[in-house]
Amino acid sequence: MSTSIERSFDLNALVRPNIRKLVPYSSARKEFEGTARVFLDANENSFGSPTEKPFNRYPDPLQTRVKTRISELRGIPVDHIFLGNGSDEAIDLLFRIFCEPGKDGVIICPPTYGMYEVSAAINDAGLVRVPLKNDFSLDTDRIVESFSDKTKLLFICSPNNPTGNAFPREQVLGLAKAFPGIVVVDEAYVQFSSQASLVSEIERYPNLVVLQTFSKAWGLAGLRVGLAFSQAPVIAYMNNVKPPYNVSTIAQDAVLEALRNAQAVDVFIADTLRERERLSDELKHIDVFEQVFPTDANFILAKTYDADALYRFLLDDAIVVRNRDSVELCGGCLRITVGTPSENDALLASIRRYSTK
Ligand SMILES: *Cc1c(COP(=O)(O)O)cnc(C)c1O
């Protein structure tokens, strides 16, 4: 059961009228539960596939096996889990469910993940920017002042890309309590963070949607699988609006395989954290950096005296980092993903060559 705290929350009043009325596409496979003897319902090629492994059948539209496994591992009901073609699909769906094009809007807190703004533009949603403070903390007072009837979504990325810091749990939950719309907390980097996930709070906050992904710590960016956690009514809307077969058979099978090998991910995380500390320490001792920011993610934001020059020097050395120089509050900054020990050594050697040039 959904329990709402503080004030009553009327999900249906937030949802676009056309989405509230939507009769979702129903595949024959969705209507039939049980094991059939013969499948002649979906115009697939009954003879097979020109590949060693057959892919002639459509995938499970609701990814039930994957979600059941995630549910068992994490103690979250299946109907509180959405799987999408990357978390980018979940972001787009939230716009399509809640934001009437040309009328409604969202709040973002830049500098942050670029897809919120791109998705807003695609869906013709108004964008209200409430920048982080100079210390990269949330400007909660200004966020609350910016709420209006038209504001349907508030995006909080924690740990935040590109600044790397996670926001205090109580602050984010305070915003979820105060905001009449949907608070989307993007936890793409949560496994690298000292802050715990907010997924445990979805039962108490009916307007909270937590995004996670298989693209970062799980090492499966090429599969395109992202997750959203929320109470069942929000997840039901996401399932109704998504394309029916949004996660391929290969992706579903590979995620199941990954979930059987979850201990490998713990090793990736430990290795990344160890290299992150080493890389941060070493960068701090090279005099081309004015500041190396603390991080809760698998990347480091570092402020140089001349971001373009160092960025180009590294490119000439076939090392690609992300130049964030033109992003607000990130003047002079490069965003550096933590690599393997030898990749980080190559980066450090190149930066040292630059510094003594
Ligand atoms: C990388 C990243 C994602 C992941 O997106 P996918 O579509 O799941 O690959 C989501 N949010 C943020 C902030 C990211 O940096």
Side-chain angles (χ1 to χ4, degrees):
M1 264 315 287
S2 307
T3 48
S4 76
I5 49 165
E6 301 287 305
R7 80 206 130 64
S8 65
F9 171 72
D10 186 354
L11 176 66
N12 290 326
L14 270 185
V15 170
R16 291 169 62 199
N18 61 314
I19 301 296
R20 231 183 289 144
K21 286 190 308 221
L22 180 76
V23 181
Y25 177 78
S26 185
S27 66
R29 228 37 72 80
K30 209 164 152 189
E31 285 162 12
F32 174 78
E33 314 223 339
T35 334
R37 206 152 57 84
V38 178
F39 281 114
L40 299 175
D41 58 314
N43 302 344
E44 295 148 334
N45 181 339
S46 302
F47 295 87
S49 320
T51 49
E52 198 175 322
K53 198 174 177 288
F55 294 107
N56 54 325
R57 300 300 177 184
Y58 279 102
D60 173 2
L62 290 174
Q63 309 100 16
T64 306
R65 286 173 66 216
V66 181
K67 285 183 194 168
T68 302
R69 195 65 199 117
I70 293 170
S71 170
E72 289 164 0
L73 289 168
R74 305 197 47 179
I76 300 163
V78 166
D79 64 3
H80 287 46
I81 306 171
F82 168 84
L83 283 188
N85 183 9
S87 15
D88 289 348
E89 180 177 35
I91 293 167
D92 179 66
L93 285 172
L94 291 166
F95 276 96
R96 292 204 277 156
I97 293 165
F98 293 106
C99 293
E100 196 60 40
K103 270 177 61 186
D104 293 330
V106 306
I107 299 175
I108 65 168
C109 304
T112 192
Y113 187 43
M115 277 311 290
Y116 313 141
E117 184 161 356
V118 172
S119 244
I122 291 168
N123 290 286
D124 198 14
L127 195 69
V128 176
R129 304 156 152 279
V130 181
L132 299 179
K133 296 183 188 170
N134 286 332
D135 62 358
F136 297 154
S137 64
L138 288 169
D139 193 342
T140 46
D141 292 343
R142 272 201 58 203
I143 293 172
V144 172
E145 284 162 20
S146 305
F147 294 165
S148 86
D149 310 346
K150 302 269 169 237
T151 325
K152 298 300 172 78
L153 305 172
L154 165 62
F155 284 93
I156 306 283
C157 185
S158 183
N160 186 44
N161 178 3
T163 56
N165 56 310
F167 301 114
R169 181 183 196 85
E170 288 314 317
Q171 216 172 47
V172 179
L173 292 175
L175 287 169
K177 223 176 265 187
F179 185 50
I182 301 286
V183 176
V184 186
V185 180
D186 187 341
E187 295 189 337
Y189 300 99
V190 73
Q191 293 94 339
F192 306 107
S193 178
S194 51
Q195 303 263 340
S197 167
L198 290 186
V199 168
S200 56
E201 301 290 342
I202 56 177
E203 227 47 82
R204 296 177 57 222
Y205 294 83
N207 63 333
L208 181 64
V209 176
V210 177
L211 304 181
Q212 294 187 1
T213 180
F214 283 98
S215 296
K216 305 287 158 63
W218 281 86
L220 298 170
L223 286 183
R224 310 305 304 130
V225 185
L227 300 135
F229 300 96
S230 190
Q231 288 186 10
V234 173
I235 297 298
Y237 275 117
M238 296 181 80
N239 284 330
N240 285 351
V241 175
K242 77 178 182 68
Y245 304 111
N246 60 328
V247 181
S248 74
T249 304
I250 293 192
Q252 293 189 40
D253 289 350
V255 167
L256 279 170
E257 181 189 342
L259 292 170
R260 287 193 292 273
N261 285 313
Q263 65 302 338
V265 178
D266 295 334
V267 178
F268 290 143
I269 295 166
D271 288 349
T272 304
L273 295 182
R274 198 182 51 239
E275 277 300 294
R276 180 179 82 185
E277 300 324 307
R278 177 176 80 95
L279 188 56
S280 286
D281 276 350
E282 302 223 18
L283 291 174
K284 280 176 194 159
H285 291 106
I286 308 176
D287 60 9
V288 300
F289 295 105
E290 208 177 316
Q291 198 168 0
V292 177
F293 292 99
T295 175
D296 269 292
N298 65 342
F299 56 82
I300 298 166
L301 191 73
K303 187 176 166 88
T304 73
Y305 295 98
D306 188 344
D308 284 335
L310 176 53
Y311 176 73
R312 272 184 276 107
F313 184 90
L314 290 172
L315 273 188
D316 285 340
D317 219 6
I319 295 174
V320 190
V321 298
R322 192 90 158 116
N323 188 352
R324 299 284 77 187
D325 185 39
S326 61
V327 171
E328 60 194 299
L329 298 184
C330 296
C333 288
L334 300 181
R335 193 195 69 194
I336 302 168
T337 305
V338 176
T340 63
S342 65
E343 289 170 339
N344 298 331
D345 286 343
L347 171 82
L348 287 163
S350 191
I351 296 175
R352 288 200 178 96
R353 252 179 282 125
Y354 170 86
S355 78
T356 54
K357 190 174 50 140

